[in-house]
Amino acid sequence: MKFIINRETLLKPLLLVSSVVENKQTMPVLSNILIRAEEDSLHLTGSDTEVELIGRIPLDASPESTGITTAPARKLLDICKSLPDNSEILFSTKDNQSQMACSSGRSRFTLSTLPAETFPVSQEEPASVSFSIASNALRRLIDRTGFAMSTQDVRYYLNGMLFKISEQTLTAVATDGHRLAVSSEITEEGVTEGKQVIVPRKAVLELARLVAEGEDNVTITLGQNHICAHTGPFSFTSKLVDGKFPDYERVIPYGGQKSMLADRQTLRQALSRAAILSNAKHRGVNLTLENNTMKMAANNPEQEQAEDEIPVNYADAELKISFNVDYLRDVLSVATSDTIQMIFSDSFSSVLIKQPDDDRSTYVVMPMGR
């Protein structure tokens, strides 16, 4: 295998593909990326056996010789980053394929390789549902809901995000048992049969990274055990979480009678000030609503206290309720409207948070003590 490629042409695909690779692997070959040089393109594949990402890069000149090998992902990425802008890089492997050389100008590197046949590649499966969605719409879905995903919950089905496709709407749902985020976007084409799957946390984060700057539509196919996404020169595949996601619609408290409207940035800044002196472990903030005013207070074991007060639109009976301040701030951080609406039932029930001018997203936060 022998080919030449421009540093800028290689760097972005290499960054994305390398992000899938874990530093610590039980299989040495999984610390490598699979490199395949064909007549007119270069294919890079990264995998951890659960998530796989393939990038296809067109070559300006046909390779002097085609071939396939694997090389250490992090080292190769560091080498490319260290080279001057617009460098031309020559890659070549020796006859025994045990090493790969790369050179640019006066810089020379030799990397150890592992046999390509030991690299695990995802097997295609029949797709039961397929649809397209704009890259920026998919990114918005993940941004609006991803913060609520659990990280290492024993309820493994919470360590990911629910994707629910029905007709021409894709809904993303995430919860860690203390808060819930739901958001929907219109797809480019509809489906005749609805389906819902749980996408693992790592796959969601990699998918967000993949569509971060993309302008192409994303074609998503859902199978029995995998989700696949194709956008531009990239193909993404992930195993699905085998489990049943909670009935999230039953958790949404639609019956609240006490409504508050507040300027989102004013509320967010006040909560951030109160959070400075909140308990580092429990992160509690006490809210009191009355007479178009929200008062907030926080304290910690060092007997330090923070109090703040902001004007809001609230005309119902006095309400006192406590929340994890970070849960509220997370919602306010992903919301985009100038005004935020919080709907309460009582001091012991979850709050429903919405944006009056955007009905695509809904948030639920449980109070402290629940």
Side-chain angles (χ1 to χ4, degrees):
M1 180 174 69
K2 189 174 184 179
F3 63 92
I4 296 176
I5 190 168
N6 182 272
R7 172 186 180 271
E8 271 55 47
T9 303
L10 175 63
L11 191 54
K12 181 181 176 180
L14 185 57
L15 275 167
L16 287 169
V17 171
S18 297
S19 68
V20 175
V21 179
E22 297 286 356
N23 289 327
K24 296 181 179 179
Q25 292 283 2
T26 55
M27 296 172 58
V29 73
L30 290 179
S31 296
N32 290 11
I33 59 171
L34 184 69
I35 303 172
R36 177 187 288 108
E38 298 184 346
E39 289 298 330
D40 57 355
S41 62
L42 181 70
H43 293 206
L44 305 178
T45 304
S47 174
D48 66 354
T49 72
E50 299 291 325
V51 176
E52 177 186 272
L53 181 60
I54 303 174
R56 298 172 180 84
I57 309 169
L59 294 174
D60 294 332
S62 296
E64 187 172 321
S65 60
T66 60
I68 184 171
T69 189
T70 75
R74 303 300 176 192
K75 293 176 182 177
L76 183 57
L77 179 60
D78 288 342
I79 288 171
C80 291
K81 285 181 176 179
S82 69
L83 293 173
D85 293 348
N86 291 311
S87 300
E88 295 293 323
I89 311 172
L90 171 64
F91 290 93
S92 61
T93 56
K94 299 181 179 180
D95 292 338
N96 60 9
Q97 300 284 326
S98 63
Q99 290 183 323
M100 182 175 74
C102 53
S103 60
S104 180
R106 297 183 179 181
S107 301
R108 303 284 188 274
F109 307 90
T110 302
L111 295 171
S112 296
T113 63
L114 291 172
E117 55 268 22
T118 64
F119 192 90
V121 179
S122 295
Q123 300 297 318
E124 290 189 12
E125 66 174 18
S128 57
V129 174
S130 181
F131 60 93
S132 294
I133 185 171
S135 292
N136 56 2
L138 181 57
R139 180 58 193 258
R140 284 196 301 268
L141 275 183
I142 297 174
D143 286 345
R144 291 170 180 164
T145 56
F147 68 89
M149 286 189 295
S150 191
T151 52
Q152 294 180 328
D153 201 301
V154 294
R155 297 166 293 182
Y156 60 91
Y157 47 83
L158 298 185
N159 300 323
M161 181 178 291
L162 179 73
F163 278 8
K164 179 180 178 182
I165 179 69
S166 58
E167 296 183 349
Q168 206 165 345
T169 301
L170 177 63
T171 301
V173 186
T175 180
D176 60 5
H178 301 286
R179 52 187 171 169
L180 172 74
V182 183
S183 189
S184 298
E185 288 283 350
I186 301 300
T187 60
E188 296 294 317
E189 57 189 45
V191 297
T192 56
E193 180 181 353
K195 187 178 179 67
Q196 61 182 42
V197 298
I198 306 174
V199 184
R201 178 184 177 85
K202 179 179 178 180
V204 172
L205 299 179
E206 293 298 337
L207 193 54
R209 188 179 289 110
L210 178 62
V211 300
E213 301 176 3
E215 298 180 356
D216 298 320
N217 286 348
V218 183
T219 300
I220 296 178
T221 57
L222 304 177
Q224 188 66 31
N225 302 304
H226 291 82
I227 178 173
C228 299
H230 303 274
T231 177
F234 295 97
S235 297
F236 170 88
T237 303
S238 171
K239 292 182 180 179
L240 298 171
V241 176
D242 184 13
K244 182 175 176 58
F245 202 81
D247 185 357
Y248 67 91
E249 294 189 4
R250 294 182 58 186
V251 178
I252 301 176
Y254 289 114
Q257 300 298 316
K258 299 177 175 64
S259 176
M260 181 214 74
L261 294 173
D263 180 81
R264 180 175 65 89
Q265 290 293 1
T266 300
L267 177 57
R268 181 185 177 190
Q269 291 165 4
L271 288 171
S272 295
R273 291 191 292 269
I276 296 171
L277 298 183
S278 65
N279 186 302
K281 181 178 180 181
H282 301 293
R283 305 293 287 161
V285 60
N286 302 315
L287 306 182
T288 301
L289 284 163
E290 60 176 344
N291 300 327
N292 290 324
T293 301
M294 173 185 279
K295 299 177 181 178
M296 53 195 73
N299 55 67
N300 59 38
E302 286 76 36
Q303 304 302 312
E304 298 170 325
Q305 295 182 343
E307 295 181 354
D308 215 318
E309 183 177 316
I310 62 171
V312 297
N313 187 337
Y314 181 80
D316 290 290
E318 181 185 78
L319 177 71
K320 294 184 177 182
I321 191 167
S322 300
F323 292 103
N324 181 311
V325 66
D326 291 332
Y327 292 171
L328 295 180
R329 292 167 66 198
D330 284 344
V331 173
L332 298 177
S333 294
V334 300
T336 55
S337 300
D338 293 334
T339 303
I340 205 78
Q341 181 182 24
M342 302 176 71
I343 303 173
F344 305 88
S345 296
D346 52 52
S347 299
F348 309 100
S349 300
S350 300
V351 60
L352 177 63
I353 305 176
K354 304 174 70 176
Q355 300 175 84
D357 60 351
D358 186 355
D359 61 358
R360 292 175 295 178
S361 301
T362 300
Y363 304 97
V364 178
V365 179
M366 293 179 62
M368 298 283 283
R370 288 292 303 275

